[in-house]
Amino acid sequence: MNHLCDKLQIIGDNIVTYTQVAQRKENSVQLLAVSKRHPSSSIREAYACGQRLFGENYVQEMLEKAESLSDLAIKWHFIGSLQSNKTRRVAEVADWVHTVDRLKIAKRLSDQRPSHMPPLSICLQVNISEEENKSGILIEKLPVLAEEVAKLPHIKLRGLMVIPKAEHDFAQQCAVFAKVRQLQETLNKQLAAQNIVLDTLSMGMSGDMKAAIIEGATIVRIGTAIFGSR
Ligand SMILES: *Cc1c(COP(=O)(O)O)cnc(C)c1O
């Protein structure tokens, strides 16, 4: 076992433990290994340990890595901010985009998704801590955006993604993530008429993974704890 396998094993064990503490179903939380600013060789190493989902923040960097690792069955999750002039290549390469916060981007991703590929999975990023100048849709605007995005043909609306304001108190972390879960439940009632079920909460990073899993995260995004500092 290499060094990265040990790190992945420890995080995997923690995920299992927290899932049990929360009395949630086995395997209901997936680990997204955030590999931004780490070399393709590290991704290859993590892949050899069994890791399949990798998250990248920068379009050019994801494209270069996808190219050099095209012999591997990696699922690429784009988790950075996305400009409209970069949507095409993302639609062609990624399996998921976690950071959609406006209709224009969603429309472009849907239009540009190649027809031979399955629909692109999408999360709407919510500015859950209502911070100024931060990405993410405001809560009050979420219902309308979700309704519109859900209608687009070549993307599949899967759920919500948040990056809460840094918070060290566990109970406070839980309170924010619980709010996200409630938003998901509300949206699911709203979207039931369109036969859409949001099954994904992308929340929890190295510092708040436990709280996120307790409150219902289905994808945790972990970088530093796997690959070290950037
Ligand atoms: C970098 C990043 C992460 C991983 O953060 P770590 O603190 O390194 O675990 C998760 N989510 C997003 C959106 C990121 O940009």
Side-chain angles (χ1 to χ4, degrees):
M1 280 236 295
N2 68 34
H3 167 73
L4 274 183
C5 296
D6 293 340
K7 295 278 179 67
L8 286 163
Q9 177 80 46
I10 291 166
I11 294 163
D13 289 349
N14 285 337
I15 290 175
V16 169
T17 303
Y18 303 150
T19 305
Q20 286 168 348
V21 169
Q23 299 186 303
R24 295 180 51 195
K25 260 203 338 243
E26 213 182 313
N27 298 323
S28 53
V29 183
Q30 290 188 297
L31 172 59
L32 180 64
V34 178
S35 43
K36 63 177 180 230
R37 287 191 258 128
H38 289 280
S40 294
S41 56
S42 299
I43 298 177
R44 194 173 283 281
E45 222 180 293
Y47 186 93
C49 311
Q51 180 64 30
R52 292 293 177 269
L53 315 185
F54 291 89
E56 289 286 339
N57 287 59
Y58 307 99
V59 175
Q60 194 54 36
E61 186 178 339
M62 179 177 75
L63 297 176
E64 284 166 16
K65 287 172 173 173
E67 176 80 33
S68 71
L69 300 167
S70 61
D71 56 316
L72 307 181
I74 288 178
K75 302 285 186 198
W76 293 105
H77 289 232
F78 188 75
I79 60 171
S81 75
L82 185 51
Q83 306 302 319
S84 51
N85 62 349
K86 302 258 176 75
T87 50
R88 180 176 300 277
R89 294 295 284 131
V90 171
E92 290 168 350
V93 169
D95 289 278
W96 284 70
V97 176
H98 290 226
T99 42
V100 173
D101 62 2
R102 51 209 159 104
L103 185 59
K104 181 183 176 189
I105 296 290
K107 275 188 172 149
R108 290 178 67 90
L109 290 170
S110 179
D111 288 347
Q112 294 168 345
R113 181 68 165 173
S115 54
H116 66 274
M117 294 176 82
L120 181 66
S121 287
I122 295 289
C123 291
L124 299 178
Q125 182 176 357
V126 183
N127 184 354
I128 194 72
S129 306
E130 314 221 281
E131 295 172 276
E132 272 181 55
N133 305 317
K134 280 286 172 72
S135 19
I137 181 100
L138 289 173
I139 293 167
E140 67 197 42
K141 296 187 172 162
L142 180 60
V144 172
L145 180 64
E147 190 89 30
E148 293 299 319
V149 170
K151 289 179 193 152
L152 297 171
H154 306 298
I155 62 179
K156 188 170 161 59
L157 180 57
R158 299 294 297 271
L160 304 177
M161 180 274 209
V162 293
I163 309 173
K165 201 162 71 183
E167 168 64 70
H168 296 290
D169 182 69
F170 179 74
Q172 295 291 335
Q173 291 176 351
C174 287
V176 174
F177 291 133
K179 194 162 134 188
V180 184
R181 196 190 59 231
Q182 283 155 13
L183 287 174
Q184 180 195 31
E185 284 167 12
T186 306
L187 283 177
N188 272 336
K189 287 186 195 128
Q190 176 197 326
L191 295 171
Q194 287 170 259
N195 261 321
I196 285 176
V197 182
L198 305 187
D199 58 10
T200 300
L201 291 176
S202 167
M203 57 190 196
M205 312 192 352
S206 298
D208 54 11
M209 182 178 98
K210 180 176 181 183
I213 292 175
I214 301 285
E215 298 299 340
T218 62
I219 301 178
V220 291
R221 310 179 309 264
I222 310 292
T224 310
I226 300 169
F227 297 106
S229 58
R230 293 178 286 268

